[in-house]
Amino acid sequence: MDLISIIGQNRLYNFHSHTQFCDGRATMAEFAAEAVKRGFTHYGFSPHSPIPIESPCNMAFDQVQLYLDEVTRLKSLYIGRTNFYAAMEIDYLGKEWGPANEYFQALPLDYRIGSVHFIPSQEGILVDIDGRYESFRMKMEQFFHNDIRYVVDTFFDRSLDMVAEGHFDIIGHFDKIGHNASHFSPGIEDKTWYRKHISHLIEAIADSGIIAEINTKAWTDHHRMFPAPSHWQEVKRAGIPLIINSDAHQPMLIDASRTEAFDKLAAIG
């Protein structure tokens, strides 16, 4: 599957969405119907991957084949109208579990998104640092001794490890930690050490040949995109291909804020 060719042809695509198989709020069939209604030419499903720890947001191992079968059904149902793809947003938990794991390499996926949502606490407990700030704030005290520098450093270190191991096509929301971190410690994203993390990760992505996602999910509610637009010039200078995804959890949001992202990207040339 040539993702770069697809995203270079038009804007009628979305390759990041979550349905009933993880934390999405509608069925795949409902998402597919919305994509066809809007004239999308390409649409990818990307449930949060199974992981070997408890998580209410991730797909169960015993649901994987049902998911793949449903993608096959939808591909046949809408043949000649919208191209549908089977993917996963694969959580990187360390060298023992991530996109490079043979489990994911053996699955018949059209593409793979690699993302970091979990990092280990200082005591080695894997903690989900994604999601709402209220939850993040409690986890900072409960698991991380309120050490935001540790959390940010670990997030980017894990991201670098994931990129180095490879075996995925798109890196998801690669500066997502900045949202919660900036609430916890305002101005943190302007710190020299933080920006060095961004630059090192951009360099690694460029060397890997991976596509970087511009994720528009939080634009309406929080006026944020991931990565932040302030980093887009650096990403473009590095020659990294960009894909604009809405990370939709509801059918009505499959195109949410993607036009704004395209316009912002065009504005910087």
Side-chain angles (χ1 to χ4, degrees), residues 43-258:
Y43 195 87
F45 298 103
S46 57
H48 291 290
S49 69
I51 54 177
I53 59 175
E54 289 293 323
S55 170
C57 296
N58 289 72
M59 171 186 279
F61 283 93
D62 63 6
Q63 295 289 296
V64 171
Q65 191 57 53
L66 292 174
Y67 160 66
L68 294 172
D69 290 344
E70 179 65 353
V71 178
T72 299
R73 186 184 76 83
L74 293 170
K75 284 182 177 182
S76 298
L77 181 63
Y78 293 110
I79 192 168
R81 301 179 69 183
T82 301
N83 297 300
F84 289 101
Y85 303 94
M88 284 187 184
E89 184 178 15
I90 302 171
D91 275 297
Y92 183 78
L93 304 182
K95 294 187 182 300
E96 73 283 355
W97 197 258
N101 187 283
E102 61 183 10
Y103 173 78
F104 297 111
Q105 292 305 303
L107 292 176
L109 301 175
D110 295 307
Y111 64 94
R112 294 162 179 82
I113 300 173
S115 295
V116 175
H117 299 99
F118 295 80
I119 65 167
S121 69
Q122 292 93 327
E123 290 73 36
I125 301 169
L126 283 169
V127 181
D128 184 355
I129 56 168
D130 202 50
R132 296 183 181 277
Y133 174 68
E134 293 78 10
S135 174
F136 179 83
R137 179 67 186 85
M138 290 187 291
K139 291 173 182 176
M140 283 297 300
E141 182 174 357
Q142 182 180 358
F143 295 105
F144 297 111
H145 312 290
N146 286 322
D147 187 346
I148 192 62
R149 178 68 184 262
Y150 169 84
V151 169
V152 172
D153 286 347
T154 305
F155 174 88
F156 283 109
D157 287 346
R158 288 265 162 152
S159 298
L160 285 171
D161 289 343
M162 179 179 70
V163 171
E165 292 182 30
H167 294 280
F168 62 100
D169 306 284
I170 303 168
I171 184 166
H173 44 62
F174 73 70
D175 70 340
K176 186 77 178 291
I177 188 61
H179 177 59
N180 281 330
S182 64
H183 279 293
F184 187 87
S185 179
I188 194 171
E189 292 174 278
D190 297 323
K191 301 290 186 182
T192 299
W193 63 268
Y194 185 98
R195 297 191 70 85
K196 283 183 177 178
H197 274 309
I198 293 290
S199 293
H200 291 159
L201 184 53
I202 288 173
E203 290 171 7
I205 295 168
D207 290 342
S208 72
I210 294 167
I211 299 169
E213 170 188 76
I214 293 177
N215 187 305
T216 64
K217 176 185 175 183
W219 181 252
T220 299
D221 291 338
H222 302 289
H223 213 63
R224 291 195 65 117
M225 295 184 187
F226 307 105
S230 58
H231 304 309
W232 293 4
Q233 283 279 21
E234 188 174 0
V235 172
K236 290 189 69 177
R237 283 196 300 268
I240 299 170
L242 290 168
I243 190 168
I244 298 178
N245 291 326
S246 72
D247 195 353
H249 288 61
Q250 301 177 53
M252 64 183 289
L253 298 177
I254 64 173
D255 202 25
S257 303
R258 292 180 68 254

